[in-house]
Amino acid sequence: MIPVTHYLVLSSLLFTIGGVGFLVRRNVLVTLMSIELMLNAVNLTLIAFNAAHPESHTGQMFAFFLIAAEAAEVAVGLAIVLALFRIRRTVRSDEADLLKN
């Protein structure tokens, strides 16, 4: 069996990659993918802790609800990206200044 620390190291690496991708990139689609990577890292952590303590299914339940929240986030995010692309013909977050005068 793989120890929990291996899962936590992988999860922290994935979360760091997602955080750097979110902060550095200006493409809205890449930003959404970075957020998804970060949420999947949290899911990996929850499942790893649930595997370490199999008497409770709390980690699996939280991961399930987080996956449902991710699906809603993707739907709303893609709708925003499509609306931005229709108006501005770009998906760069620097040019998303629709609320400015």
Side-chain angles (χ1 to χ4, degrees):
M1 178 160 179
I2 301 173
V4 176
T5 56
H6 288 71
Y7 289 114
L8 294 179
V9 168
L10 176 63
S11 177
S12 64
L13 182 67
L14 288 174
F15 194 86
T16 303
I17 292 170
V20 169
F22 179 77
L23 293 174
V24 172
R25 301 301 297 256
R26 296 293 173 230
N27 189 336
V28 178
L29 293 174
V30 175
T31 302
L32 287 174
M33 287 190 292
S34 297
I35 292 171
E36 288 296 319
L37 190 62
M38 292 167 64
L39 290 173
N40 285 330
V42 172
N43 278 339
L44 179 63
T45 302
L46 290 171
I47 298 300
F49 280 127
N50 191 54
H53 303 287
E55 64 275 357
S56 173
H57 295 292
T58 307
Q60 287 180 354
M61 289 189 300
F62 276 123
F64 177 73
F65 287 121
L66 190 58
I67 290 170
E70 288 176 22
E73 179 252 336
V74 167
V76 171
L78 287 178
I80 291 171
V81 168
L82 286 174
L84 177 66
F85 184 75
R86 276 192 217 147
I87 294 171
R88 296 287 181 178
R89 294 288 181 219
T90 184
V91 291
R92 292 184 52 86
S93 61
D94 293 341
E95 299 174 13
D97 56 354
L98 299 176
L99 296 177
K100 289 185 179 179
N101 289 332

